[in-house]
Amino acid sequence: VWPLRELRAPLASAMSVVHAPLSGVPGSEAEIRRLAETNADSGGTRWGQEMVERLATDGSLTDVQSLELQVWRFGDDLTWVALNGEPCVDYALSFKARFGAESTWVSGYANSTFGYLPNRRLLKEGGYEAYDFIFPSGLPGTFAPEVEDLVIDGVDALFRQLALESARLAKTNEP
């Protein structure tokens, strides 16, 4: 059990949006129907119907997914990283290593969700969290491997921005 501790000012937050490329996005109705049939047990039938409707309405399926990244800093006491979707544990481990294991919280399902947020390791291993989740989630494709760099680089940039802002606020509040 960790003891409660006071969080000191200043409070600062920042948010950005990155556009993560999707791979394996079908380009035709025939390709959608083939994927839907092959993955019927994983929710492919409903997914296929939705993708065919999107293709008919929009002319193509999107090949990017917007990801909202947020960082909150409570002085030097706590850094809270909030990500969309259900991020794999590797993101939390990476941010804790960068910003301090005892003072970093990482949470998912922030602002919106779309299913799993895999990284390169999961994409290489394959399976449900890397690929098959797209069928019940409604994404037209899975994430491309560069999603990991986009998320980590984006959060790093927000952290640096807030570190500068916190230092500026601390100087402003000096007696």
Side-chain angles (χ1 to χ4, degrees), residues 12-23:
S13 67
M15 180 177 182
S16 68
V17 177
V18 296
H19 303 287
L22 299 175
S23 64

Side-chain angles (χ1 to χ4, degrees), residues 2 95-105:
W2 291 359
F95 296 133
K96 286 176 176 284
R98 284 171 155 68
F99 310 139
E102 297 291 321
S103 61
T104 303
W105 291 351

Side-chain angles (χ1 to χ4, degrees), residues 110-146:
N111 301 309
S112 68
T113 190
F114 46 76
Y116 290 103
L117 180 57
N119 65 351
R120 273 191 188 81
R121 178 185 63 81
L122 282 181
L123 291 169
K124 187 176 179 182
E125 291 174 4
Y128 186 81
E129 292 175 338
Y131 295 101
D132 296 342
F133 81 91
I134 70 167
F135 300 108
S137 76
L139 284 179
T142 191
F143 287 100
E146 54 265 33

Side-chain angles (χ1 to χ4, degrees), residues 10-104:
L11 169 64
S13 67
M15 180 177 182
S16 68
V17 177
V18 296
H19 303 287
L22 299 175
S23 64
V25 176
S28 68
E29 185 174 335
E31 193 175 353
I32 292 169
R33 293 193 187 285
R34 182 186 57 73
L35 283 168
E37 185 178 312
T38 304
N39 296 282
D41 292 343
S42 301
T45 303
R46 189 178 124 268
W47 174 88
Q49 292 167 344
E50 186 178 333
M51 295 304 119
V52 167
E53 288 173 17
R54 284 189 206 170
L55 185 62
T57 302
D58 301 337
S60 66
L61 299 176
T62 184
D63 60 355
V64 296
Q65 174 66 34
S66 297
L67 304 175
E68 296 170 356
L69 311 174
Q70 265 183 309
V71 177
W72 293 72
R73 288 206 50 192
F74 298 81
D76 291 328
D77 298 323
L78 176 67
T79 299
W80 179 14
V81 177
L83 305 172
N84 295 134
E86 184 174 330
C88 69
V89 70
D90 297 14
Y91 287 109
L93 296 173
S94 175
F95 296 133
K96 286 176 176 284
R98 284 171 155 68
F99 310 139
E102 297 291 321
S103 61
T104 303

